Amino acid sequence: SQTIHQWPATLVQPVGSPLSLECTVEGTSNPNLYWYRQAAGRGLQLLFYSVGIGQISSEVPQNLSASRPQDRQFILSSKKLLLSDSGFYLCAWSGQGAVGTQYFGPGTRLLVL
Amino acid sequence: SQQGEEDPQALSIQEGENATMNCSYKTSINNLQWYRQNSGRGLVHLILIRSNEREKHSGRLRVTLDTSKKSSSLLITASRAADTASYFCATDAGASGSARQLTFGSGTQLTVLP
């Protein structure tokens, strides 16, 4: 069966510090991968998605970036965090078929102070 | 911009009652999906309804889709305290062959009181 992992679960970082959040998927090949951010009590905002290794599409211009160094690994990064980067970050995967059901990881709660 | 908007934003019911949540969207879709999120956790896929379907059931869940009104409803029958969560609709409006992107609404917070 497929599983998706995210770490860390919780992160507290000072403003201006770098960020690296990791997401890995097991049990499937060539998935579509997604990074979302969720503000408290709100819906999901799509940040990045990837259809393959090294292929990243950005939905929202910001100081975040994403990379996909391996088929089942998706990394969200920042060189300098802003207060507004605080939130709940969710990684998800979907298959390459016609139906776009997505499967989510447990999320990373980021607090920038 | 949000494609799907849920209504109501918050709903509080007694255990055993039915809960109905609605979702409206703006553009043509391939399918509409409902997800559940427990507090502080990831989203869990509940049910998917295709654009050519009008109603779908899964256990205590019933989803309807009216493409002429661009709306969907999620009915949870005989609710339980464990159903307490946020519920999101998400629309798949991607072109054939493209990466399947979903656009999520802002969610309905359901509280089921024991």
Side-chain angles (χ1 to χ4, degrees):
Chain A
S1 65
Q2 300 89 0
T3 55
I4 178 168
H5 304 278
Q6 282 186 250
W7 64 90
T10 305
L11 192 59
V12 180
Q13 291 284 96
V15 168
S17 63
L19 173 74
S20 181
L21 302 181
E22 189 162 343
C23 170
T24 59
V25 181
E26 296 177 356
T28 187
S29 297
N30 197 26
N32 293 323
L33 295 171
Y34 309 83
W35 276 113
Y36 292 90
R37 177 168 57 202
Q38 184 179 32
R42 305 291 297 276
L44 276 67
Q45 178 187 38
L46 179 64
L47 301 175
F48 301 95
Y49 69 92
S50 171
V51 300
I53 297 174
Q55 300 178 64
I56 309 295
S57 296
S58 174
E59 290 295 302
V60 181
Q62 59 211 318
N63 70 320
L64 299 172
S65 62
S67 62
R68 185 170 177 174
Q70 301 180 45
D71 181 46
R72 289 170 287 180
Q73 183 185 31
F74 206 22
I75 297 172
L76 182 69
S77 304
S78 174
K79 293 182 179 178
K80 287 186 177 182
L81 284 168
L82 307 173
L83 287 173
S84 57
D85 291 325
S86 293
F88 192 49
Y89 289 82
L90 288 158
C91 181
W93 73 272
S94 70
Q96 291 289 344
V99 176
T101 299
Q102 294 184 12
Y103 304 92
F104 285 80
T108 294
R109 187 161 304 282
L110 173 65
L111 179 60
V112 182
L113 300 175
Chain B
S1 64
Q2 297 288 350
Q3 160 79 314
E5 292 295 334
E6 287 90 341
D7 167 56
Q9 290 187 345
L11 178 62
S12 185
I13 59 174
Q14 294 293 135
E15 207 165 25
E17 294 180 339
N18 295 341
T20 300
M21 289 160 270
N22 303 295
C23 171
S24 60
Y25 57 92
K26 297 176 182 176
T27 65
S28 296
I29 61 172
N30 299 312
N31 63 70
L32 185 145
Q33 304 175 34
W34 285 90
Y35 288 79
R36 166 195 168 124
Q37 183 182 34
N38 286 18
S39 179
R41 310 291 290 273
L43 278 71
V44 175
H45 178 258
L46 294 176
I47 194 166
L48 179 151
I49 187 164
R50 300 177 193 271
S51 60
N52 61 354
E53 297 176 311
R54 293 296 166 260
E55 186 172 312
K56 203 162 185 179
H57 296 254
S58 176
R60 292 185 295 113
L61 305 180
R62 173 178 168 253
V63 169
T64 62
L65 179 65
D66 187 334
T67 53
S68 67
K69 296 181 179 178
K70 291 186 169 59
S71 67
S72 173
S73 68
L74 171 67
L75 168 68
I76 303 174
T77 60
S79 63
R80 306 165 181 169
D83 293 328
T84 294
S86 292
Y87 292 82
F88 295 89
C89 68
T91 52
D92 177 352
S96 175
S98 69
R100 312 307 298 198
Q101 297 180 57
L102 296 178
T103 304
F104 287 82
S106 53
T108 292
Q109 172 60 51
L110 172 66
T111 302
V112 182
L113 302 170

